[in-house]
């Protein structure tokens, strides 16, 4: 629980103090990550364990590998004409409502590639995480081409299409890049190609309209991951455009319990920053009693359906309730909701490639404690550090 938040002073006075402090504190351009490649090993320095939100070793914004030098030799060998397992992480989620993005993986046999050099091996749909500060781990299989090579390049792209994430200026699709260097070994007996999951393999109705959760709610959820169980507590106020999300448990590493809270003030702007950036304070990210400020993307409604790049898999009755199961077209992300009064719905279950989250309590229109969205004093001190989305002016 996070009852300590209620003791802070009134939001308006604290907000003014914090923003005044930020004006004098903004530092250099922050480096942050969006695609971290774990297996095969990504190009460049070794990644730390555990990975953190905004891992700077993964922040690569120029084609095709973020200007990281080509190594003298590859790090991993794969059999040609056979399935290969890839492990990577979407380090932050930049879902863009107007034009949802995607993640793709491609291979080039040209060590000085052009746009025409790449063969796409995998494409995944973007999903709405409802919080930019969300890490998602993927373990996927791709079919390595039969052609052998002593050195080839695997390229990852997260194409966010989010105008607030354009960097540099000519990167108009707001793409995040990463690469790994591999050897493709000749395989005398190529395996049967992996069948890629497609929405058409299941009964879906892509024309269904979808539903939206209540504009104000309090929710509790339990997330199960390979690292252990993480507890979630969410205070959500769409009218005021404020969200507080508390997570506790082995969030980033097995056996290491953490308490990390994100306070997102989407209705507030940040001095000297683009209007699309809104303050998102992360408490506990760099240790107990610490605060990091990110520049969050604009808020979008917590909803399910075509606007969230989802298709309706099925609708069914359960215990007198009407349930709907929504999914991304590639079936990597599924969402179970219960239809509620007034055309709204309530989240019941989320399944992602690396985790499952069950909502144990969902309280629409529940009273939100006074002061829950106040900016903590630690976030107004000169020791405040800055992460994603904060630019030097």
């Amino acid at each position: 629980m996070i009852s300590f938040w209620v003791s802070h002073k009134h939001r308006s006075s604290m907000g003014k103090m914090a923003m005044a402090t930020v004006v004098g504190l903004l530092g250099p351009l922050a480096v942050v990550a969006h695609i971290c490649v774990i297996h095969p090993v990504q190009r460049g320095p070794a990644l730390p364990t555990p990975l953190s939100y905004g891992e700077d070793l993964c922040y690569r914004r120029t084609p095709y590998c973020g200007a990281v030098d080509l190594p003298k030799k590859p790090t991993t060998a794969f059999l040609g004409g056979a399935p290969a397992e890839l492990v990577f992480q979407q380090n932050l989620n930049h879902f863009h409502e107007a034009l949802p993005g995607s993640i793709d993986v491609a291979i080039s046999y040209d060590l000085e590639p052009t746009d025409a050099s790449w063969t796409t091996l995998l494409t995944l749909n973007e999903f709405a995480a409802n919080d930019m500060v969300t890490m998602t781990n993927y373990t996927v299989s791709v079919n390595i081409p039969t052609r052998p090579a002593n050195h080839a390049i695997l390229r990852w792209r997260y194409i966010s299409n989010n105008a607030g994430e354009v960097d540099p200026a000519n990167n108009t699709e707001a793409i995040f890049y990463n690469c790994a260097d591999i050897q493709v070994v000749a395989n005398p007996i190529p395996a049967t190609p992996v069948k890629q999951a497609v929405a058409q393999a299941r009964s879906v109705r892509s024309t269904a309209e979808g539903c939206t959760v209540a504009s104000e709610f309090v929710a509790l959820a339990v997330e199960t991951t390979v690292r252990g169980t993480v507890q979630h507590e969410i205070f959500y106020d769409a009218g005021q455009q404020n969200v507080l999300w508390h997570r506790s448990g082995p969030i980033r590493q097995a056996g290491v319990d953490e308490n990390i809270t994100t306070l997102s003030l989407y209705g507030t702007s940040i001095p000297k920053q683009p209007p699309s950036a809104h303050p998102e304070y992360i408490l506990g990210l760099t240790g107990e009693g610490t605060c990091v400020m990110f520049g969050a993307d604009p808020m979008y409604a917590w909803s399910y359906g075509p606007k969230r790049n989802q298709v309706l898999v099925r609708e069914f009755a359960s215990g007198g309730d009407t349930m709907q199961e929504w999914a991304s077209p590639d079936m990597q992300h599924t969402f179970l909701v219960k239809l509620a009064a007034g055309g709204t719905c309530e989240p019941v279950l989320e399944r992602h490639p690396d985790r499952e989250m069950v909502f144990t309590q969902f309280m629409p229109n529940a009273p939100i404690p006074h002061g829950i969205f106040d900016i903590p004093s630690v976030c107004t001190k000169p020791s405040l550090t800055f992460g994603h989305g904060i630019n030097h002016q």
Side-chain angles (χ1 to χ4, degrees):
M1 301 295 290
I2 46 176
S3 56
F4 65 89
W5 286 94
V6 181
S7 64
H8 290 300
K9 295 180 181 180
H10 190 267
R11 175 168 56 235
S12 60
S13 60
M14 289 296 291
K16 291 177 181 177
M17 183 188 304
M19 289 299 105
T21 305
V22 168
V23 172
L25 289 177
L26 294 178
L29 174 68
V31 286
V32 293
H34 295 272
I35 288 291
C36 298
V37 179
I38 300 165
H39 179 74
V41 177
Q42 74 177 42
R43 184 179 291 186
L47 292 174
T49 301
L51 289 170
S52 185
Y53 303 105
E55 177 56 58
D56 60 351
L57 290 177
C58 308
Y59 187 72
R60 298 171 180 182
R61 301 306 306 273
T62 57
Y64 298 96
C65 301
V68 181
D69 291 340
L70 178 76
K72 293 182 179 179
K73 60 182 180 178
T75 59
T76 306
F78 289 125
L79 282 176
E85 184 176 89
L86 309 180
V87 183
F88 58 95
Q89 181 186 91
Q90 183 193 52
N91 195 246
L92 292 174
N93 181 279
H94 291 300
F95 180 82
H96 185 51
E97 183 175 19
L99 184 61
S102 62
I103 297 172
D104 63 36
V105 182
I107 188 170
S108 171
Y109 286 84
D110 186 350
L111 299 185
E112 296 183 356
T114 65
D115 288 350
S117 302
W118 301 98
T119 299
T120 301
L121 306 180
L122 175 74
T123 300
L124 299 173
N125 302 115
E126 171 70 300
F127 77 104
N130 295 301
D131 186 3
M132 182 187 75
V133 184
T134 299
M135 295 189 295
T136 301
N137 297 311
Y138 291 84
T139 300
V140 300
S141 288
V142 299
N143 297 316
I144 299 297
T146 57
R147 175 185 169 186
N150 290 328
H151 194 159
I153 304 171
L154 286 180
R155 181 204 65 191
W156 278 254
R157 296 189 305 175
Y158 172 20
I159 306 170
S160 73
N161 295 322
N162 193 319
E165 302 302 325
V166 171
D167 178 28
N170 63 350
N171 183 5
T172 56
E173 293 179 288
I175 302 174
F176 303 87
Y177 297 89
N178 213 331
C179 286
D181 296 274
I182 66 169
Q183 178 184 4
V184 181
V185 180
N187 185 354
I189 308 176
T192 302
V194 176
K195 293 182 179 179
Q196 300 298 328
V198 295
Q200 289 79 2
R202 301 177 65 177
S203 174
V204 298
R205 300 203 307 272
S206 61
T207 57
E209 292 184 358
C211 63
T212 302
V213 302
S215 61
E216 186 174 307
F217 67 81
V218 176
L220 302 178
V222 177
E223 177 186 13
T224 304
T225 75
V226 295
R227 300 176 298 280
T229 300
V230 178
Q231 304 291 330
H232 292 250
E233 187 174 19
I234 306 165
F235 296 86
Y236 183 93
D237 187 342
Q240 297 297 319
Q241 299 190 64
N242 294 327
V243 180
L244 186 140
W245 197 317
H246 180 65
R247 300 167 174 87
S248 61
I251 299 170
R252 295 180 286 176
Q253 186 175 12
V256 180
D257 287 346
E258 298 179 283
N259 289 284
I260 295 179
T261 300
T262 57
L263 173 62
S264 307
L265 306 179
Y266 297 104
T268 304
S269 59
I270 306 174
K272 299 183 179 180
Q273 299 299 304
S276 60
H278 308 282
E280 184 164 31
Y281 299 95
I282 309 177
L283 291 98
L285 179 62
T286 55
E288 185 176 354
T290 63
C291 182
V292 177
M293 188 173 79
F294 280 26
D297 297 328
M299 187 179 191
Y300 49 83
W302 189 315
S303 63
Y304 304 89
K307 289 185 178 180
R308 295 295 168 266
N309 200 28
Q310 297 166 4
V311 293
L312 181 63
V313 176
R314 58 179 175 147
E315 182 174 298
F316 61 98
S318 176
D321 294 317
T322 300
M323 314 293 287
Q324 289 183 338
E325 182 182 1
W326 294 90
S328 58
D330 57 18
M331 299 297 165
Q332 289 284 322
H333 310 273
T334 60
F335 309 86
L336 185 65
V337 301
K338 180 178 72 174
L339 299 187
T344 63
C345 55
E346 300 178 3
V348 175
L349 171 71
E350 294 186 7
R351 285 196 179 99
H352 303 281
D354 63 335
R355 63 190 185 276
E356 177 177 285
M357 188 159 73
V358 177
F359 286 80
T360 56
Q361 292 188 53
F362 185 84
M363 296 162 278
N365 305 313
I368 294 179
H370 177 74
I372 200 75
F373 299 124
D374 286 353
I375 301 172
S377 59
V378 68
C379 298
T380 68
K381 296 179 178 180
S383 58
L384 175 69
T385 56
F386 301 95
H388 168 75
I390 307 297
N391 299 312
H392 176 68
Q393 298 290 320

